[in-house]
Structures are given as C-alpha cells and as structure tokens.
Amino acid sequence: MMRNSKQKNRGFTIIEMLLAMTITALLLTALAASINASMTNIKVNEGSFKTMNRARQVLSRMTAELRTADPNQVDVYEFHSDIDICTFDNAEGDEVGYFCWGLNDAFGFKKDTLYLAKDSKYYLLCEGVTDMSFTKGTYDNEGIEMVRNVQISM
C-alpha cells in the first residue's frame, strides 16, 4: 500500500486568512463611517427640528393673539429696512409687539432673532429667523383692515 505523498491539507492558508481579515476590516470601516455620518445628520436635523418647532409655536401664538386683537388697534410698520414691527392690544388689553431683528447684534438684540415686546420688556422667542412680514388687507364687509398673513422665514 502506497500512500500519496501529497496529502491534502484541510484549512486556510495564511494568505487567505489575511485577505479575509482585510476585506472584513474594509467592510467594518465603511460601516463605521456610515454610522458616524448618520449620527452627525441626526444632530444637525435635531437642531433644525427644534428651531422649526419653536418657530411653529411662536407663529401659532402670534396667530392666536392677532385673531383675538381688536382689528382697529393692529399697526404694522417698517422700523428699518430689516425690521418689521406689528403692535396691537391683545385680548387681555396688554400692548404687545412682535419684531424680527435683522440688523447686526446691537442694543442687546441678536441678529436674525424674533422678539416679543410686552410690558416694556423684550422676550427672545426664536433664533434663526431671517425675515418676518405682516400683510394687512380687508377682511370683512365693514372694510376693516386686518393682518391676513404672517410669514416667518428661516
């Protein structure tokens, strides 16, 4: 009985193992990069979501106050080419005003920020607002001009 001098070794060669480890390392690196990019996007989107949600809440508040305000008391004017102001007496009889500070940081106001003026105080409502406009138009049969449109740009 003669044995075959060439026995078949079962298993992987060192080259095959190195190749498999290299491919696995490349796949894990790609997976880690995609997870990192996803986490970065989540953080960016979360900030945008919070800002948009805050702006939505502010717009809802403004809309509710304008709907209950006396239409004869609503005044919209341009304080500066970058600042529109809307003032009125709200349902409680308090004089309030909304404005977006479009100028550079000055007088304690931050650029591109929406403020509420009430009781001689200023309240920061939302940052990242690049523009705000109020459009008045005839709303009812009596010819009273009311604010029909409030737009916030971010």
Side-chain angles (χ1 to χ4, degrees):
M1 234 186 190
M2 213 170 180
R3 287 193 168 183
N4 190 355
S5 63
K6 291 185 181 179
Q7 288 185 342
K8 289 191 173 183
N9 290 333
R10 295 186 183 192
F12 298 107
T13 65
I14 194 157
I15 300 294
E16 291 171 332
M17 289 300 292
L18 287 174
L19 185 61
M21 286 178 21
T22 303
I23 291 171
T24 302
L26 289 173
L27 290 174
L28 289 175
T29 302
L31 180 65
S34 68
I35 289 173
N36 186 34
S38 295
M39 295 304 288
T40 302
N41 284 337
I42 285 172
K43 289 178 184 176
V44 169
N45 289 337
E46 183 179 26
S48 297
F49 171 76
K50 286 181 180 179
T51 302
M52 294 300 284
N53 193 39
R54 183 73 176 147
R56 191 175 297 115
Q57 290 171 352
V58 168
L59 191 57
S60 177
R61 175 188 173 145
M62 290 171 60
T63 303
E65 284 192 327
L66 282 167
R67 285 183 180 153
T68 59
D70 180 1
N72 294 317
Q73 298 296 323
V74 177
D75 190 20
V76 176
Y77 57 95
E78 187 176 301
F79 176 74
H80 185 274
S81 63
D82 292 326
I83 303 172
D84 286 342
I85 299 177
C86 179
T87 61
F88 56 91
D89 293 338
N90 65 10
E92 290 83 31
D94 299 324
E95 183 178 353
V96 297
Y98 289 96
F99 65 95
C100 177
W101 191 259
L103 303 173
N104 290 329
D105 296 355
F107 307 109
F109 299 117
K110 294 170 68 175
K111 182 176 171 57
D112 295 338
T113 304
L114 181 62
Y115 289 93
L116 165 68
K118 183 177 178 181
D119 300 327
S120 300
K121 295 179 184 174
Y122 300 100
Y123 302 95
L124 186 149
L125 296 178
C126 186
E127 295 179 298
V129 177
T130 58
D131 189 31
M132 180 175 67
S133 63
F134 301 91
T135 306
K136 287 181 83 170
T138 305
Y139 184 70
D140 60 9
N141 294 333
E142 298 174 17
I144 298 175
E145 277 197 334
M146 301 177 73
V147 174
R148 294 191 60 161
N149 185 23
V150 178
Q151 182 176 357
I152 295 177
S153 301
M154 302 188 82

